[in-house]
Amino acid sequence: MRTPRPARRTLISVTAISATLLAGTTSLALAGTAGAAVPAEKTATTAASAVAAPAERLIVGYKSGAAEAKSNSAASADAKAKGREADESLKFQRRLGTGAALVDLGDRLGKADVADVVAEYQADPQVAYVVPDRLNKPLADPNDTEYSKQWDLFETTAGMRVPGAWGTATGSGVTVAVIDTGYVTHSDLAANIVGGYDFISDTAVAVDGNGRDSNPADPGDWNAEGECDGAPASDSSWHGTHVAGTIAAATNNSKGVAGIAYNAKISPVRVLGKCGGYDSDIIDAITWASGGTVSGIPANSNVAKVINMSLGGGGACSSATQSAINAAVGRGTTVVVAAGNSNANAANYSPASCNNVISVAALNRSGSKASYSNYGSVVDIAAPGGQTSTGTANGILSTLNSGAKTPSTESYAYYQGTSMAAPHIAGLAALMKSASTALTPAQIESGIKTNARALPGTCSGGCGAGLADATKTVQAVSGSGGSTGGTTFTSTSSVSIPDAGSAVESPITVSGRSGNAPSALQVGVDITHTYRGDLVIDLIAPDGTAYRLKASSGSDSADNVKTTYSVNASSETANGTWKLRVQDVAAQDTGTINSWKLTF
């Protein structure tokens, strides 16, 4: 039997505080010692990065046998002591009805300072939990006058459950490029419009009297009978403005409709005019919107992290279009596209069939595939698109213009189509990016699909992962619920860990992923060991960078390490060979790596 090592109080690194502690959980109970539950961080990561927000007060629950659980003076003395250790001024404020202590943090502290204080409490074995005293707000519906008609956002059957996401994110800091017909002035959108561009090079298509320029205003896309390959006469659609309103119409402004990501910005990028638009213009628009360079066009000062393309045509995705999309995604821009409105396999339409996009099918108000919507294996997700044939109010209400040919007065109207479904997903992508700025396009797609709910109705032919669920998805990426989704890679080959010996490694080869690893890469570890305090555990990225998962601890005498660590590996390429490195740094105990896994 080993001689017991001296017990010592260990200050848990602030990286032990998960982002959920200050972002969305109601309690954080200590589960054993710190060594097996400390999320990883790269050496250069700052302590503050583990904390979601500053706080003014903490709620501290003590274990029933602790003096601080019953004595206000003891709780007060403990607060002062922990304040001294964290170099902050803490004050016991009062006892809650549950018996927990409310501790004031003094001057409003930054995230890193709060993390230090929380770490002090977490390190105390007499503390059962420590959580922030969060500020709650009324969950009232927006006061937009037409909000009650936006069934697509909130209805139980087939709504996308958007209101529940607004408490976490509203799209702030994210620009969405709407590659479409341009924008016609509308007071319910104007506050969220930023600079865009008109990429229509053919003056006959442009209608505005010139070619490409910096003015993406929509002059109207009406056509006379037979003017567009024999098509019947059609009034102007103001299509881009309707799409933009679904994404980011101003909200709580006592008028009109509510946007899904109502604090996001819209960059109108005009590619569709009379009779449609050419691939060449769309390719340049994708490039420019995502921050790429287009010859003869000024640099984009409003680079979009999300692109919406509610457009398409027959034929599979071309190499030219695919190249532009790949480059945009490589620059960190999520590309959302409509699946198409031909009630056919989306694999035969572009850009719905392109890789590296989120292809969106449309559902009607009962949650079944809308009769017109394309379907198939290339579809990633479904969202409300409406079906006006069953009643006008069963369409999607958004911003529009009343002009039949040229712009007139602003208005609102119900439309239907996968063109209406796609901006629901673009808006959700903007909410996700706002909630977690490090998310990659692959993570955004994975999060949307993983947190979707089963279709309330039916979809013959395939409508992707199901009906997008905004609340669950945003909670997932913000750390307050849901699932970050992704693919799991596992090693079940056992590796012996020698006593006080050299480090051993267990490899996992990751393939088939695009881009970088996630900012919350999950590392599941199953190690048996008779004194886990001896173990030092690192995750080794394909480029050799080491991420410390667990340090050795002389006071951690429990057996085994069976836990999941979270690693910010967003700077690492996902594909390649990852390794779990384990070393026993003290004598008298041995163990085995039984298995481990990576969840992207």
Side-chain angles (χ1 to χ4, degrees):
M1 179 181 294
R2 80 165 47 236
T3 302
R5 297 175 180 174
R8 61 185 179 88
R9 188 172 180 279
T10 303
L11 175 61
I12 303 176
S13 164
V14 292
T15 58
I17 309 164
S18 72
T20 57
L21 172 61
L22 297 180
T25 57
T26 56
S27 65
L28 181 65
L30 292 179
T33 56
V38 181
E41 67 169 356
K42 199 167 185 176
T43 303
T45 304
T46 64
S49 67
V51 183
E56 295 179 352
R57 288 173 295 276
L58 295 175
I59 300 172
V60 182
Y62 291 95
K63 294 181 180 178
S64 58
E68 295 87 350
K70 303 174 183 178
S71 167
N72 289 352
S73 60
S76 178
D78 189 45
K80 291 178 181 178
K82 287 182 170 56
R84 287 193 296 270
E85 293 181 22
D87 198 25
E88 303 294 347
S89 178
L90 308 187
K91 182 179 179 181
F92 170 79
Q93 195 168 80
R94 61 185 170 87
R95 183 77 58 178
L96 304 187
T98 59
L102 184 64
V103 176
D104 188 86
L105 299 177
D107 293 336
R108 187 171 177 83
L109 305 183
K111 291 186 287 187
D113 299 323
V114 175
D116 288 342
V117 173
V118 171
E120 289 290 338
Y121 276 106
Q122 283 187 307
D124 188 340
Q126 297 302 315
V127 172
Y129 61 84
V130 53
V131 297
D133 185 17
R134 297 179 300 177
L135 180 66
N136 293 268
K137 299 178 181 180
L139 297 178
D141 286 342
N143 62 21
D144 303 75
T145 55
E146 306 301 309
Y147 175 71
S148 63
K149 301 174 183 178
Q150 293 182 272
W151 62 267
D152 48 307
L153 302 191
F154 59 79
E155 258 186 15
T156 302
T157 300
M160 213 173 75
R161 297 180 178 173
V162 174
W166 285 333
T168 302
T170 58
S172 298
V174 180
T175 296
V176 181
V178 175
I179 298 180
D180 213 293
T181 64
Y183 164 67
V184 61
T185 301
H186 200 294
S187 63
D188 209 10
L189 258 175
N192 287 335
I193 298 294
V194 296
Y197 210 83
D198 180 355
F199 274 92
I200 302 179
S201 53
D202 188 315
T203 55
V205 175
V207 187
D208 60 1
N210 54 42
R212 293 182 170 184
D213 58 43
S214 60
N215 182 7
D218 185 351
D221 57 354
W222 65 275
N223 64 270
E225 185 174 359
E227 194 172 12
C228 299
D229 295 327
S234 176
D235 288 342
S236 291
S237 68
W238 316 114
H239 189 272
T241 300
H242 195 280
V243 167
T246 297
I247 298 170
T251 302
N252 281 315
N253 61 343
S254 299
K255 69 175 296 181
V257 295
I260 291 171
Y262 58 80
N263 278 328
K265 299 301 181 184
I266 296 291
S267 174
V269 185
R270 187 169 181 251
V271 297
L272 303 178
K274 186 183 289 288
C275 304
Y278 288 101
D279 278 355
S280 54
D281 291 340
I282 294 169
I283 287 167
D284 280 351
I286 294 169
T287 303
W288 182 84
S290 60
T293 300
V294 177
S295 178
I297 307 299
N300 184 3
S301 59
N302 298 295
V303 174
K305 288 304 177 185
V306 181
I307 285 174
N308 186 92
M309 290 195 289
S310 291
L311 50 80
C317 183
S318 71
S319 298
T321 299
Q322 187 65 68
S323 177
I325 289 171
N326 289 347
V329 171
R331 286 187 283 269
T333 299
T334 298
V335 180
V336 179
V337 304
N341 300 331
S342 302
N343 188 27
N345 193 329
N348 299 317
Y349 293 82
S350 179
S353 62
C354 294
N355 294 322
N356 277 336
V357 301
I358 303 176
S359 185
V360 188
L363 302 181
N364 59 29
R365 197 168 181 172
S366 65
S368 292
K369 184 185 82 68
S371 61
Y372 55 80
S373 177
N374 284 356
Y375 51 82
S377 60
V378 300
V379 172
D380 294 299
I381 195 71
Q387 186 143 3
T388 56
S389 62
T390 60
T392 301
N394 292 334
I396 305 300
L397 185 66
S398 188
T399 47
L400 210 71
N401 192 277
S402 64
K405 290 183 171 62
T406 57
S408 181
T409 56
E410 64 181 42
S411 64
Y412 301 86
Y414 292 97
Y415 273 7
Q416 67 172 19
T418 57
S419 283
M420 285 57 257
H424 283 77
I425 301 302
L428 175 52
L431 292 178
M432 297 169 72
K433 192 71 175 176
S434 177
S436 181
T437 58
L439 288 174
T440 65
Q443 290 171 310
I444 288 175
E445 178 178 348
S446 175
I448 291 172
K449 292 161 74 170
T450 301
N451 293 287
R453 58 191 175 106
L455 292 185
T458 61
C459 174
S460 177
C463 285
L467 170 57
D469 186 322
T471 295
K472 187 178 177 184
T473 303
V474 171
Q475 285 176 345
V477 300
S478 67
S480 56
S483 168
T484 55
T487 304
T488 298
F489 298 83
T490 303
S491 171
T492 56
S493 299
S494 63
V495 179
S496 296
I497 305 169
D499 184 28
S502 301
V504 294
E505 294 180 342
S506 174
I508 288 178
T509 299
V510 174
S511 61
R513 305 294 299 176
S514 61
N516 287 1
S519 58
L521 176 63
Q522 302 299 293
V523 186
V525 176
D526 181 350
I527 297 174
T528 52
H529 196 275
T530 50
Y531 196 100
R532 68 185 182 197
D534 288 350
L535 297 181
V536 176
I537 306 175
D538 292 297
L539 176 69
I540 310 301
D543 67 355
T545 301
Y547 294 80
R548 178 57 49 88
L549 304 181
K550 178 190 176 299
S552 61
S553 172
S555 60
D556 187 4
S557 61
D559 295 340
N560 308 328
V561 180
K562 296 183 179 182
T563 190
T564 299
Y565 301 96
S566 182
V567 176
N568 182 356
S570 58
S571 63
E572 306 291 346
T573 301
N575 289 335
T577 299
W578 297 74
K579 299 176 183 177
L580 187 72
R581 179 183 293 165
V582 181
Q583 184 175 14
D584 184 329
V585 297
Q588 300 182 35
D589 296 277
T590 59
T592 303
I593 302 173
N594 300 309
S595 65
W596 71 288
K597 61 185 179 180
L598 292 170
T599 302
F600 287 78

